[in-house]
Amino acid sequence: MASIFTKIISGEIPSYKIAEDENYFAFLDINPNAKGHTLVIPKREENKLFDLSKEEYDGLMSFSYRVAKAIEKTIPCKRVGMSVIGLEVPHVHVHLIPLNAMSDIQFIEKVKLSSEEFVALAEGISTNFQ
Ligand code: AMP
């Protein structure tokens, strides 16, 4: 069965999209740790990060680098943190999180955003994506 993220790539499930290319896709996390919390995924569905081929892994990291640069340009923060967990959704995803405090990377405190705020954040990061 297709993962929820595969359904996001196909458009079956809506998302606040930031960027995509042939192999990778970036969109806002729907339950963010902080404003601008973004997920970057390979389009090919794979459960675990280190089950990707070396080439796919490198491609995912390169794409995440570009997304992180766009986040830094858009969201005031001390730095962008990166985490890979995958206990909830079995489709590899890199969390890119604007950090101001250690708690921002701890997946405990969440921020509530309106759909207008999600749209504005996705547009802002997308505009800065190169
Ligand atoms: P984990 O698998 O533990 O790394 O966490 C999965 C992440 O996916 C969580 O941060 C969720 O908020 C996020 N998530 C789950 N469903 C969606 C969705 N439909 N759109 C955006 N983010 C999602």
Side-chain angles (χ1 to χ4, degrees):
M1 201 178 78
S3 77
I4 189 169
F5 290 169
T6 293
K7 290 179 181 172
I8 281 177
I9 293 163
S10 71
E12 196 181 326
I13 291 177
S15 70
Y16 298 100
K17 179 180 149 181
I18 287 168
E20 70 176 313
D21 71 3
E22 195 187 332
N23 298 311
Y24 306 101
F25 191 98
F27 57 106
L28 292 177
D29 194 299
I30 204 67
N31 188 22
N33 291 16
K35 276 187 184 183
H37 180 168
T38 298
L39 302 177
V40 186
I41 61 178
K43 288 188 173 176
R44 192 183 74 78
E45 198 173 314
E46 182 63 78
N47 182 354
K48 295 190 270 182
L49 178 68
F50 298 115
D51 284 344
L52 294 176
S53 69
K54 177 70 165 51
E55 186 187 8
E56 267 187 306
Y57 174 88
D58 290 345
L60 179 66
M61 290 303 145
S62 292
F63 199 83
S64 299
Y65 176 95
R66 292 165 63 201
V67 175
K69 291 286 180 192
I71 294 171
E72 270 177 352
K73 275 191 185 161
T74 315
I75 314 285
C77 60
K78 288 185 176 168
R79 60 183 60 218
V80 173
M82 185 168 86
S83 174
V84 177
I85 305 170
L87 290 172
E88 188 184 322
V89 179
H91 182 148
V92 173
H93 48 284
V94 173
H95 292 265
L96 296 175
I97 306 169
L99 302 180
N100 288 297
M102 184 62 89
S103 56
D104 294 330
I105 199 82
Q106 288 175 333
F107 295 84
I108 297 167
E109 291 170 27
K110 299 291 182 170
V111 295
K112 285 270 170 263
L113 301 174
S114 66
S115 56
E116 290 78 14
E117 287 175 300
F118 273 115
V119 168
L121 284 164
E123 282 178 2
I125 299 168
S126 184
T127 300
N128 285 319
F129 180 79
Q130 293 175 335

